[in-house]
Amino acid sequence: TGLERVGHDGFSRMVATVRSSLEGYHCEIHSMVVEGRKCFCRLKFTGKHVGLLMGYPPTNKLVAWMGASEFTICPRTRQILKVWELGDIKTLEAQLMG
C-alpha cells in the first residue's frame, strides 16, 4: 500500500506522509477497550486529499476510512511501546482513484 512502516522512524514517516497529504487530517476514536498494558481502538480517519498519497495525485476531495489499532503501553512510564494498525485501505484507495 505504500503506508506500511516499521519502527519509530517508519511510523513517524507514515504519519508525516498522511498529514502532508490530507489537509485537516482527523482521527476520531469510535470505541476503545483497555485491558492491562493493551489498548484497542476502532478509528475513523478523514481529511481533504491535497497531496500525493499511495501514489495518487491530489483530488481535493474529502476522504474517509476506518481502521483499528492496538497500542502496547509501558506501565512504568505510560509511554506507547508498540503500535499495530490495520486500515481499510481498499475504501481509501477507491476514493483516491477519483
Side-chain angles (χ1 to χ4, degrees), residues 69-84:
S69 295
E70 173 193 64
F71 299 90
T72 303
I73 310 297
C74 175
R76 187 175 50 78
T77 64
R78 297 187 179 188
Q79 291 181 323
I80 297 171
L81 298 175
K82 182 179 174 184
V83 178
W84 176 87

Side-chain angles (χ1 to χ4, degrees), residues 52-98:
L52 187 66
L53 183 61
M54 295 173 43
Y56 293 95
T59 62
N60 291 309
K61 294 181 182 178
L62 183 64
V63 295
W65 72 101
M66 298 297 292
S69 295
E70 173 193 64
F71 299 90
T72 303
I73 310 297
C74 175
R76 187 175 50 78
T77 64
R78 297 187 179 188
Q79 291 181 323
I80 297 171
L81 298 175
K82 182 179 174 184
V83 178
W84 176 87
E85 189 170 283
L86 179 65
D88 183 1
I89 299 302
K90 288 293 186 187
T91 293
L92 174 60
E93 190 171 41
Q95 296 168 77
L96 299 176
M97 285 190 208

Side-chain angles (χ1 to χ4, degrees), residues 24-44:
Y25 171 73
H26 182 72
C27 175
E28 179 181 343
I29 299 172
H30 277 225
S31 61
M32 179 187 303
V33 176
V34 178
E35 184 177 298
R37 297 175 11 137
K38 300 282 186 174
C39 176
F40 301 89
C41 299
R42 187 169 58 98
L43 309 161
K44 180 178 183 181

